[in-house]
Amino acid sequence: MSEVLEKPEVQKIYIDARGPRFSASITAVVLATALVTHNVWVLVAQGLVFLIGATRGPQFTPYGLIFKNVVKPRLKKVAPTEDVRPPKFAQSVGFAFALVGVLGAFADRGLVFTVATSFALAAAFLNAAFNYCLGCEMYLLLVRFKNK
Amino acid sequence: MKTYLPLLIVLVLTSAYGIWWKRAQGAIRSNKAIPGHRLSAEVLGEPLGSRATMVQFSSAFCTPCRATHALLSQMVIPMDDVKHVQIDAESHLELVRQLDIRSTPTTIFINKDGIEVGRAAGTPKRDQVLAALANIK
């Protein structure tokens, strides 16, 4: 009954599950900075990070590379792995919010910037602090809504 | 110009939501069943367990789905009257709507007649699953 889940052509890549959570912590700090300073360029930079995470995968973002090269060698426990698709999905949601925020700022709509950045920050913070799974909560609702 | 107000609002609201979400994860509730709805062997594509079946709805963008699948499929091995069935939520949207499933993993506990007796969003704890199954006659 789980045809799509087990499809062989859906190539499964497993990454260290601690990586995306580490990246989410940095993301939350960067987005908080953007929100407090109201600086659009901070959001642009984070948006580019999201874009790499959404297209190539979260393990290739600058934060992912810091995790791999600096943090991971210092961790002693055996790495729990996770499918790369859930964090990749979360990165695309982050990119969508960042895009809206940046466009809002350039169109001189400060409120759009603030609200969009707040949502992206909320998602990153939930992930970092509570190991929140954005794909679990949002994906099915999106599909249900799209195929109404 | 610096303003801390939006940051403060976001942190307070998401912390409150996060704490609530964490607590609700995996809890098996009996009050979410859709009245009159029955899951049949035809819908599931395989026969029901002779006493109970755990129907797990999963999706591709879901890390805890894997852990839930591992836990439940492992637990039913020594039980000959309980089955575990995994369903891809995305390719069964009709059923997902009928049962009002909003997130994955959601596991529906049904009795031998296919009637829901409880459901858990998120990965349930082993003891909770055992207790829920013990209540199904």
Side-chain angles (χ1 to χ4, degrees), chain B:
Chain B
M1 188 194 78
K2 284 187 184 177
T3 163
Y4 287 93
L5 188 63
L7 176 64
L8 196 70
I9 295 172
V10 170
L11 291 184
V12 169
L13 290 181
T14 45
S15 298
Y17 171 68
I19 291 166
W20 171 83
W21 176 80
K22 201 84 185 167
R23 281 218 188 124
Q25 280 298 289
I28 301 172
R29 296 154 195 268
S30 54
N31 58 346
K32 302 271 180 183
I34 307 298
H37 194 278
R38 271 176 78 155
L39 274 163
S40 61
E42 294 83 76
V43 174
L44 290 183
E46 47 188 296
L48 301 183
S50 62
R51 181 167 62 92
T53 309
M54 297 184 279
V55 185
Q56 180 192 339
F57 288 84
S58 297
S59 71
F61 301 106
C62 165
T63 299
C65 288
R66 216 173 123 219
T68 307
H69 184 268
L71 172 74
L72 299 182
S73 58
Q74 241 262 320
M75 284 183 75
V76 297
I77 293 173
M79 307 178 181
D80 51 12
D81 52 359
V82 181
K83 280 188 72 178
H84 171 234
V85 179
Q86 181 169 239
I87 292 184
D88 175 44
E90 198 179 352
S91 50
H92 296 83
L93 281 180
E94 190 68 24
L95 190 57
V96 162
R97 286 210 181 87
Q98 283 171 11
L99 292 167
D100 194 24
I101 289 163
R102 296 170 188 184
S103 63
T104 54
T106 292
T107 307
I108 310 257
F109 292 74
I110 58 174
N111 63 17
K112 62 178 186 329
D113 301 317
I115 294 167
E116 175 176 340
V117 290
R119 67 171 66 187
T123 308
K125 298 222 164 49
R126 177 179 284 269
D127 294 346
Q128 297 174 313
V129 175
L130 288 174
L133 289 176
N135 277 332
I136 305 177
K137 301 284 177 251

Side-chain angles (χ1 to χ4, degrees), chain A residues 1 82 130 132 136 139 144, chain B residues 17 44 63 90 97 101:
Chain A
M1 285 289 290
E82 77 169 316
F130 300 100
Y132 188 79
C136 304
Y139 182 65
R144 278 180 64 168
Chain B
Y17 171 68
L44 290 183
T63 299
E90 198 179 352
R97 286 210 181 87
I101 289 163

